[in-house]
Amino acid sequence: MSSKEVMSEMDNQTEKINFKEIWFKALSNWKLMLGIFVLVLSSTYLYLRYTIPMYEASIKIIIKDDGKTTSGLSETSAFEDLKIMQFGNSIENEKSVITSRTIMGNVVDSLGIDIILKSIGGLTGLTKRDLYGTSPISIMVEDSVNARRDLSFNFIVKIINQEKVKLLNKEGNELKTTRFNDRMYYTDYGCYLTVSKTNLFNKKSVGKQIEVQKHKRKNVISALLGQINVEQVVSNGSILSISIQNASAKKAIDILNSLIIKYNEDVVRDKTLITKNTDKFINDRIKIISNELEIIETYSQKFKEDNKLNNISFEVEQSIINKNDFSKNIIDANVQVELGRMMKTYIDDITNEKALIPSNLGLADVSINNSVEIYNRLTLERTEELKTATADNPEVLNLTNRITKLKASIIQGIDNLITSKEKILEQYESENRNIRNNLSLLPGYEKDFRAIQRQQEIKETLYLYLLEKREENQIAMSMGIGNAKVVDPAYSSNSIVYPKPKMFYTAAVLFSILLFFIIIYLKGLLNDKVYSKKDIDQLGLPYIGNIPQG
């Protein structure tokens, strides 16, 4: 038989899989199988033993939409007839705000979670558990706010007795021994530290070692934002489910609760800034209109006295009013023109980059109202950014450019509004000329007096309108209600979400079996020796006989 025929025969035999033979080979290599199982399962146990478990907490909230209320008792229902404060809250925008670095930074500051305390246990010291809410000691870092945010250090606190503690570095070398509540200077980082007892401190706490980790604030914020997840419970709905995974279930719950609190505080703070600025604007304009109204009333009185107009024909005036129903529209147009001019004057006088533009004054152009809302929101964002960045920061410059363009757009919109209303007034003048022709038989002073009355009516309407707006603005200021209402409070089942032991052990068993059979297969594939007559028969070679071992 040629070598080619032998190789062909070997290939044909290889293709025939004998499961019985594979089973006996597996049993004959039971020691290998046992070794693989022990190795893989031991590795899995060690991984599960020293991997920090993660817990999950979740909270449900509903985002209240100012423009769409489910009952008539919302904080904006009193203003619905005036079409103000009805811009609504985009759910996607609110999701972005909730998960913004600014809000999460406020959460980090309020909970102080940039400092992590971990217990050091076991013989190896590798087992470390987050002591959030259960630590017998607390650490206070004293420095400027900005300096603390950039601090990052790590050391170990060993409780010597009920009065003293010892500070060790990572290598276990002593840094300093101090008493509880004593303020000490940390030379390496140029800050003051104070170690204090908590309500959980007891005799069993003596001798324990606790690792103190101070992380940079920006890194903590990034880590928490990576752990948080925000989803809409129902598509196009306003209920949000917010969940977070953390090494401490209690910390996860506190983070979610604090997140909603800080979000609502931020919303209320923004609303308060706008309403205060609007209140100042309205009060200033009321003073101006009041003075103008007093001048007109004085002139009206003098005009009547000079011309002896004690009784003006009510019938004539009434007939003119009934004939010309457009008078109310003209008054409204004058109010809009006056409001537009006052608002433009106010915007032109703005020199402070932090100044906000009064909103909700009732301008007929909805686009101007929307632009003012966006301008105020961008101004507030820029102010918040300047707390942690300089004016040359790219994001701050971007906001500044957007604010400048938006301001120009608002001014242009007001100019267009004034122009359109002035055209309406021109139409009125045309109609008014016809009225003059009809009133040509009346004394000239009566027509003059009507002009005075019209100006007085415009000013009175504007004055009363501003008084009404002031009351509405005062109501808005006193509300102080955030956008988020908690539906289900933050909750955690205290079940480990990662790593799950059952899943890992099941995967370890399956991997061990697969690895075992792969080794057996490779071992047989690489075997080129003949051990018995059966191997010769499989190759189709002539058999002469066995050579017994001596």
Side-chain angles (χ1 to χ4, degrees):
M1 184 180 291
S2 64
S3 60
K4 290 184 178 180
E5 292 175 344
V6 171
M7 294 301 295
S8 177
E9 183 67 22
M10 290 177 63
D11 292 339
N12 292 333
Q13 293 296 330
T14 302
E15 292 176 358
K16 298 177 181 179
I17 300 174
N18 191 331
F19 290 101
K20 184 177 181 181
E21 181 181 349
I22 293 175
W23 173 251
F24 281 111
K25 281 186 178 181
L27 291 179
S28 64
N29 290 275
W30 65 272
K31 292 182 179 180
L32 175 62
M33 178 180 287
L34 180 61
I36 292 174
F37 269 91
V38 171
L39 178 62
V40 175
L41 292 177
S42 298
S43 301
T44 304
Y45 170 78
L46 292 175
Y47 177 79
L48 295 174
R49 177 71 176 80
Y50 294 108
T51 298
I52 299 175
M54 300 295 289
Y55 302 88
E56 186 175 67
S58 62
I59 188 173
K60 283 185 181 179
I61 62 171
I62 182 169
I63 301 297
K64 294 182 290 183
D65 193 335
D66 293 333
K68 298 179 181 179
T69 57
T70 57
S71 68
L73 300 177
S74 70
E75 59 269 24
T76 59
S77 60
F79 314 137
E80 289 177 355
D81 59 327
L82 300 174
K83 307 297 182 184
I84 65 171
M85 297 176 67
Q86 296 183 18
F87 301 106
N89 307 312
S90 169
I91 297 300
E92 292 300 324
N93 289 343
E94 298 308 311
K95 286 167 65 176
S96 300
V97 173
I98 292 173
T99 56
S100 66
R101 296 187 66 86
T102 300
I103 301 299
M104 188 58 74
N106 293 335
V107 172
V108 172
D109 295 338
S110 64
L111 297 179
I113 50 180
D114 53 340
I115 299 178
I116 301 176
L117 303 181
K118 293 184 177 181
S119 64
I120 301 177
L123 298 175
T124 62
L126 296 176
T127 305
K128 297 179 181 180
R129 182 171 58 89
D130 194 333
L131 294 178
Y132 179 84
T134 60
S135 174
I137 65 170
S138 63
I139 306 294
M140 184 170 65
V141 179
E142 298 181 48
D143 207 334
S144 65
V145 176
N146 293 331
R148 167 173 172 154
R149 291 177 176 180
D150 295 331
L151 284 178
S152 176
F153 52 77
N154 192 324
F155 61 86
I156 297 172
V157 175
K158 183 176 181 180
I159 303 175
I160 302 175
N161 51 46
Q162 294 190 6
E163 300 296 332
K164 294 182 179 181
V165 293
K166 184 184 293 184
L167 272 59
L168 311 172
N169 58 19
K170 284 185 178 182
E171 291 74 25
N173 299 323
E174 182 178 350
L175 297 175
K176 192 171 185 179
T177 300
T178 184
R179 291 178 175 274
F180 283 111
N181 300 322
D182 279 357
R183 188 167 176 261
M184 60 180 177
Y185 188 70
Y186 198 169
T187 307
D188 293 345
Y189 294 96
C191 64
Y192 289 93
L193 298 177
T194 303
V195 182
S196 306
K197 297 179 183 179
T198 66
N199 295 332
L200 300 175
F201 188 93
N202 52 41
K203 293 181 179 180
K204 294 181 180 180
S205 303
V206 176
K208 288 186 177 180
Q209 293 189 33
I210 298 175
E211 182 178 1
V212 179
Q213 298 177 355
K214 170 64 177 73
H215 299 280
K216 291 184 177 181
R217 181 177 182 271
K218 61 181 181 180
N219 295 340
V220 176
I221 294 173
S222 298
L224 291 176
L225 291 177
Q227 297 169 0
I228 201 166
N229 182 43
V230 182
E231 294 180 347
Q232 287 180 257
V233 176
V234 180
S235 179
N236 298 325
S238 58
I239 297 181
L240 300 180
S241 176
I242 308 173
S243 61
I244 189 172
Q245 293 185 3
N246 197 272
S248 169
K250 188 177 187 311
K251 182 189 288 187
I253 292 174
D254 288 350
I255 288 172
L256 292 180
N257 287 330
S258 181
L259 183 69
I260 303 307
I261 292 173
K262 296 303 175 184
Y263 165 70
N264 279 332
E265 287 178 354
D266 185 71
V267 170
V268 172
R269 184 167 53 250
D270 289 351
K271 289 181 178 179
T272 302
L273 286 174
I274 295 173
T275 52
K276 283 184 177 180
N277 192 72
T278 303
D279 187 66
K280 183 179 181 301
F281 172 83
I282 292 175
N283 287 329
D284 292 342
R285 267 53 197 175
I286 285 177
K287 291 180 181 178
I288 296 173
I289 298 301
S290 178
N291 292 333
E292 292 178 352
L293 188 58
E294 185 176 354
I295 294 172
I296 293 175
E297 289 175 347
T298 302
Y299 180 74
S300 174
Q301 182 179 358
K302 186 176 184 300
F303 182 85
K304 287 194 293 184
E305 290 175 352
D306 293 343
N307 297 280
K308 298 180 180 181
L309 296 174
N310 296 325
N311 295 311
I312 299 176
S313 177
F314 174 80
E315 291 77 9
V316 175
E317 288 292 331
Q318 189 63 40
S319 63
I320 294 174
I321 292 174
N322 293 335
K323 187 178 179 181
N324 299 282
D325 293 332
F326 59 86
S327 295
K328 184 179 182 300
N329 295 332
I330 300 305
I331 293 173
D332 293 338
N334 275 285
V335 171
Q336 290 291 319
V337 170
E338 288 291 329
L339 280 176
R341 289 172 178 170
M342 288 189 296
M343 194 167 181
K344 183 180 177 183
T345 302
Y346 178 84
I347 295 173
D348 289 335
D349 292 339
I350 291 179
T351 56
N352 188 352
E353 295 178 343
K354 298 181 180 179
L356 302 173
I357 298 176
S359 63
N360 304 326
L361 292 178
L363 288 177
D365 195 334
V366 177
S367 63
I368 296 177
N369 295 330
N370 292 336
S371 297
V372 169
E373 291 289 326
I374 297 173
Y375 177 93
N376 288 335
R377 178 167 56 80
L378 292 177
T379 302
L380 291 172
E381 289 181 10
R382 184 180 183 276
T383 303
E384 287 295 325
E385 288 293 336
L386 286 174
K387 293 180 180 179
T388 56
T390 63
D392 295 329
N393 184 279
E395 189 166 352
V396 174
L397 290 175
N398 181 41
L399 288 172
T400 303
N401 292 334
R402 292 175 63 187
I403 289 170
T404 303
K405 293 179 180 178
L406 199 56
K407 180 178 177 182
S409 176
I410 293 171
I411 294 175
Q412 181 62 43
I414 293 174
D415 288 337
N416 294 338
L417 176 64
I418 293 173
T419 301
S420 65
K421 296 302 178 182
E422 286 178 344
K423 288 181 179 179
I424 294 176
L425 293 176
E426 289 176 2
Q427 295 176 1
Y428 166 73
E429 292 298 332
S430 176
E431 293 291 335
N432 194 41
R433 282 192 292 271
N434 295 330
I435 294 174
R436 289 177 185 174
N437 295 330
N438 295 330
L439 297 176
S440 59
L441 298 176
L442 296 176
Y445 54 77
E446 185 173 355
K447 290 185 285 185
D448 294 337
F449 183 73
R450 285 190 64 255
I452 296 172
Q453 279 188 316
R454 185 166 54 251
Q455 288 297 321
Q456 185 177 3
E457 187 177 359
I458 291 172
K459 295 298 180 182
E460 286 177 347
T461 303
L462 184 59
Y463 181 78
L464 294 174
Y465 181 82
L466 289 174
L467 288 178
E468 182 182 0
K469 291 298 155 186
R470 183 170 65 179
E471 291 301 319
E472 294 168 0
N473 195 61
Q474 290 293 333
I475 294 173
M477 288 178 63
S478 63
M479 286 177 182
I481 300 175
N483 287 345
K485 177 183 177 182
V486 176
V487 178
D488 287 334
Y491 170 78
S492 174
S493 62
N494 291 321
S495 300
I496 298 175
V497 295
Y498 181 86
K500 293 184 178 292
K502 288 184 179 180
M503 182 181 69
F504 272 79
Y505 280 122
T506 301
V509 171
L510 295 177
F511 178 74
S512 299
I513 295 173
L514 178 63
L515 181 62
F516 170 73
F517 281 105
I518 289 176
I519 293 175
I520 293 298
Y521 174 76
L522 292 176
K523 186 177 178 182
L525 189 65
L526 298 175
N527 184 19
D528 58 355
K529 295 181 180 179
V530 176
Y531 293 95
S532 64
K533 180 176 178 300
K534 186 177 180 180
D535 297 332
I536 297 175
D537 294 338
Q538 289 179 349
L539 297 173
L541 299 175
Y543 173 71
I544 300 176
N546 290 335
I547 301 176
Q549 294 180 352

